[in-house]
């Protein structure tokens, strides 16, 4: 199996270029990040070229302090689309293949309409994969997108070929369960898979999800792309990487 280091959490105490180099040393096949905008794109690109790693994806900006995305916020379309444009420009500069458009804290029909229209905008601005990700209600109470079914309905409504689901085993495991069956049913619309333990979001080597079974199931589904290790190391990242050697 192949794995991507999510540098929003792993080696988060280092600059993004330094974290990319650490991921290479640790044996990851790719990297991904959350909000890289404070790092110069030429420095990031240099680290990617030096290591031979690809940047799989990044997030749109959260918005104002306390916010968690803008795309489902009625009346904030101009800001949401500016964040989408920013993400596309950064992704173009570093060769990232996907952009996670963050919905934000909202609910109701107006939010649903705003989210769909902003996603149509994003999908029309780039050929890159546009990702949406349900966040569990424990970690992100009030977030607009909360279930994989809701995400699948949104993807069908928008109707863009490059709009896909970011299937996070951690978020699905916290509130939906039956992770492998759900993953199999949604496989046609999945653009990326992420992993972390349930319920503490630590390394994928303990907790309610048995990751050797999850990994075997993913292989059976024919998934070949890197899985995103988006977990909180709770200290030194290198000290948590026993699972990676075991998964190899």
């Amino acid at each position: 199996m192949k794995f991507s280091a999510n540098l929003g959490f792993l080696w988060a105490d280092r600059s993004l270029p330094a974290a990319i180099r650490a991921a290479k040393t640790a044996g990851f096949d790719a990297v991904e990040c959350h909000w890289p905008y404070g790092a110069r794109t030429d420095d990031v690109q240099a680290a990617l070229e030096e290591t031979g790693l690809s940047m799989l994806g990044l997030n749109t900006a959260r918005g104002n302090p306390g916010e968690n995305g803008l795309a489902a916020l009625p009346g904030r379309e101009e800001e949401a689309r500016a964040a989408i444009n920013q993400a596309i420009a950064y992704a173009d500069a570093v060769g990232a293949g996907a952009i996670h458009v963050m919905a934000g804290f909202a609910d109701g029909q107006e939010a649903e309409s705003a989210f769909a229209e902003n996603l149509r905008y994003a999908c029309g601005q780039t050929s890159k994969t546009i990702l949406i990700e349900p966040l569990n209600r424990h970690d992100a109470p009030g977030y607009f997108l909360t279930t994989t079914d809701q995400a699948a309905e949104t993807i069908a409504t928008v109707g863009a070929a490059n709009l896909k689901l970011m299937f996070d085993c951690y978020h699905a495991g916290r509130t939906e369960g039956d992770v492998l069956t759900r993953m199999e049913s949604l496989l046609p619309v999945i653009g990326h898979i992420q992993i972390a333990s349930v319920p503490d979001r630590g390394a994928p080597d303990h907790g309610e999800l048995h990751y050797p079974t999850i990994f075997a199931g993913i292989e059976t589904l024919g998934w070949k792309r890197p899985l995103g290790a988006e977990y909180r190391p709770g200290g030194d990242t290198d000290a948590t990487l026993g699972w990676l050697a075991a998964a190899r």
Side-chain angles (χ1 to χ4, degrees):
M1 302 202 75
K2 295 181 179 180
F3 296 94
S4 168
N6 190 296
L7 304 179
F9 288 156
L10 306 186
W11 298 286
D13 57 334
R14 308 185 189 190
S15 70
L16 185 53
I20 291 168
R21 295 182 177 98
K24 175 65 175 181
T25 299
F28 281 94
D29 304 287
V31 293
E32 58 199 66
C33 59
H34 290 161
W35 302 282
Y37 305 108
R40 289 164 43 96
T41 56
D42 54 350
D43 292 338
V44 173
Q45 183 61 28
L48 293 171
E49 291 177 357
E50 175 188 323
T51 59
L53 298 179
S54 58
M55 178 71 75
L56 297 189
L58 51 88
N59 295 350
T60 55
R62 279 178 153 168
N64 296 324
E67 293 184 320
N68 205 21
L70 299 166
L73 276 58
R76 303 282 294 279
E77 287 81 4
E78 184 174 348
E79 295 168 79
R81 295 182 186 191
I84 288 165
N85 293 340
Q86 176 192 36
I88 291 172
Y90 200 101
D92 284 343
V94 302
I99 294 163
H100 170 205
V101 174
M102 301 198 68
F105 300 121
D107 59 29
Q109 183 59 51
E110 289 187 359
E112 184 176 335
S113 297
F115 193 39
E117 288 305 311
N118 284 323
L119 290 173
R120 288 191 183 97
Y121 173 83
C123 291
Q125 295 301 302
T126 181
S127 60
K128 297 180 185 295
T129 300
I130 299 298
L131 296 169
I132 56 174
E133 179 184 21
L135 304 185
N136 78 77
R137 64 180 180 273
H138 305 291
D139 291 358
Y143 194 73
F144 175 74
L145 192 63
T146 58
T147 69
T148 53
D149 285 343
Q150 183 189 4
E153 290 171 5
T154 299
I155 290 168
T157 296
V158 172
N162 58 332
L163 181 60
K164 299 290 183 179
L165 166 66
M166 180 130 70
F167 188 100
D168 190 316
C169 295
Y170 164 74
H171 287 296
R174 284 297 310 262
T175 54
E176 297 184 72
D178 206 9
V179 169
L180 281 175
T181 300
R182 192 169 299 277
M183 189 186 300
E184 181 178 11
S185 69
L186 293 166
L187 192 62
V189 298
I190 293 176
H192 186 43
I193 297 172
Q194 293 180 324
I195 57 174
S197 63
V198 176
D200 66 359
R201 207 174 193 178
D205 57 8
H206 64 279
E208 296 174 9
L209 291 181
H210 183 249
Y211 270 100
T213 300
I214 297 292
F215 294 155
I218 291 172
E219 285 193 316
T220 298
L221 293 177
W223 187 267
K224 302 297 184 185
R225 285 167 279 172
L227 307 179
E230 191 191 34
Y231 67 89
R232 299 183 185 276
D236 178 54
T237 297
D238 291 291
T240 70
L241 295 175
W243 68 270
L244 182 60
R248 298 295 190 193

